[in-house]
Amino acid sequence: MSNQGPLLELDGIVKRFGGVLALDGVSLTLERGTVLGLIGDNGAGKSTLIKVVSGAYQPDGGRIRFDGQQVRIVNPRYAKTIGIETVYQDLALVDTLDAAGNIFLGREIVRYGAGPVKVLNKHAMQRSARELLGRLGLELPSSGTEVGMLSGGQRQSVAISRALYTRPQLVILDEPTSALAVTEARKVLEMPRTLVAQGVAVILISHTLQDVLDVTDRIVVLRKGRKVADLDTGATDLEELVTYIVGSERTRGAGYA
Ligand SMILES: Nc1ncnc2c1ncn2[C@@H]1O[C@H](COP(=O)(O)OP(=O)(O)OP(=O)(O)O)[C@@H](O)[C@H]1O
Ligand SMILES: [Mg+2]
């Protein structure tokens, strides 16, 4: 680990789907311990870009540097190995398991591993799950409660806790609040800052521009597969963001890329 310089640098990322140029040479930099907002209209290329970073798609062009090294993120497993975790909108939780069961799905802590009978160490998993949720400042109803019974915000917390288990350096959140009521969305929106306080960098995709203004340090705007703005959050506002998203012909000075 280099621990110096930006955490993530994308340089000229290109992605085509048949005749569709979904990403047309996108470059951006994510500094360590910061939150980057990624915004743009439907079809702008946001999900495609994060799928390139999370290893779900291979780019057709461009380079990626992560933690000081040039990398080829060949699949999601490799992304996790180098410290990149992604929480997708659909969360992919198992409703019939409790929080600990979901957090440890596929990596259960086994007490007696010999032979065909594996006894899961339920106490260790519950303790670890509570600790992970605690890192997010969350408490869940008693252990054993199926996540299908939890609120949308609690489910989001479980999904993020699962992502934190591997101690990632980068957590990508794709539309974490889109399905939530206002008070729950408020709580979920505190998570990027909580993660940053623990040294984790965050990329947040959201259509709710006020949320992006509230919790990010920088904002990148995509339009039709191109980066059209790269802004210091403190130096922009709702009106300017909308202008970039919809693509007014007005020329804006600072930040126009
Ligand atoms: N698997 C795919 N196959 C073919 N075309 C795709 C695929 N994924 C994305 N696209 C196309 O690439 C472009 C970018 O899509 P993408 O999903 O990245 O947009 P987005 O910014 O995430 O939009 P939204 O806000 O609606 O989620 C769109 O034209 C889309 O139709
Ligand atoms: Mg998308």
Side-chain angles (χ1 to χ4, degrees):
M1 276 199 251
S2 71
N3 286 320
Q4 281 190 340
L7 180 62
L8 175 72
E9 292 171 275
L10 305 182
D11 179 17
I13 300 295
V14 173
K15 181 66 187 175
R16 289 187 197 87
F17 296 105
V20 177
L21 189 53
L23 297 174
D24 185 7
V26 175
S27 302
L28 62 79
T29 298
L30 173 65
E31 300 293 342
R32 291 166 197 276
T34 66
V35 183
L36 175 76
L38 188 57
I39 65 172
D41 224 338
N42 295 117
K46 305 178 297 294
S47 293
T48 303
L49 189 65
I50 62 135
K51 284 177 180 171
V52 165
V53 176
S54 67
Y57 291 155
Q58 292 306 301
D60 297 306
R63 281 173 305 187
I64 303 176
R65 288 179 72 81
F66 186 74
D67 200 14
Q69 313 263 1
Q70 189 163 326
V71 289
R72 272 191 60 225
I73 305 175
V74 291
N75 55 42
R77 180 178 305 228
Y78 182 71
K80 287 171 197 278
T81 307
I82 61 175
I84 299 172
E85 285 280 350
T86 307
V87 180
Y88 290 104
Q89 192 179 338
D90 64 12
L91 300 183
L93 296 173
V94 179
D95 281 347
T96 52
L97 292 175
D98 70 356
N102 270 279
I103 290 168
F104 291 100
L105 193 64
R107 52 192 177 215
E108 289 85 355
I109 298 174
V110 177
R111 193 164 40 173
Y112 314 120
V117 182
K118 290 191 174 176
V119 179
L120 300 183
N121 193 336
K122 290 233 159 88
H123 287 296
M125 293 201 294
Q126 293 293 350
R127 204 177 327 114
S128 213
R130 267 199 305 276
E131 190 218 304
L132 284 167
L133 288 161
R135 282 177 66 191
L136 292 173
L138 299 162
E139 266 181 59
L140 284 183
S142 60
S143 66
T145 307
E146 296 181 1
V147 302
M149 308 293 287
L150 301 180
S151 71
Q154 289 172 324
R155 291 166 59 80
Q156 187 73 40
S157 308
V158 172
I160 295 175
S161 300
R162 184 171 62 180
L164 285 183
Y165 179 73
T166 55
R167 303 217 162 242
Q169 298 198 72
L170 166 60
V171 173
I172 301 170
L173 304 173
D174 193 354
E175 293 279 353
T177 57
S178 62
L180 302 182
V182 175
T183 42
E184 289 232 289
R186 283 281 125 209
K187 282 202 137 178
V188 167
L189 275 175
E190 290 170 11
M191 286 183 200
R193 301 305 339 171
T194 308
L195 293 173
V196 160
Q198 296 167 16
V200 180
V202 177
I203 297 177
L204 172 71
I205 297 182
S206 178
H207 282 281
T208 312
L209 300 183
Q210 191 57 55
D211 293 350
V212 174
L213 284 166
D214 287 347
V215 304
T216 64
D217 300 292
R218 284 198 78 79
I219 301 174
V220 164
V221 188
L222 296 182
R223 186 167 71 237
K224 296 178 183 166
R226 288 168 171 256
K227 183 172 86 172
V228 294
D230 193 332
L231 307 157
D232 179 347
T233 303
T236 187
D237 57 26
L238 209 55
E239 191 194 356
E240 186 180 44
L241 295 181
V242 171
T243 305
Y244 284 122
I245 290 169
V246 301
S248 151
E249 295 311 311
R250 270 166 71 195
T251 313
R252 309 292 296 234
Y256 196 83

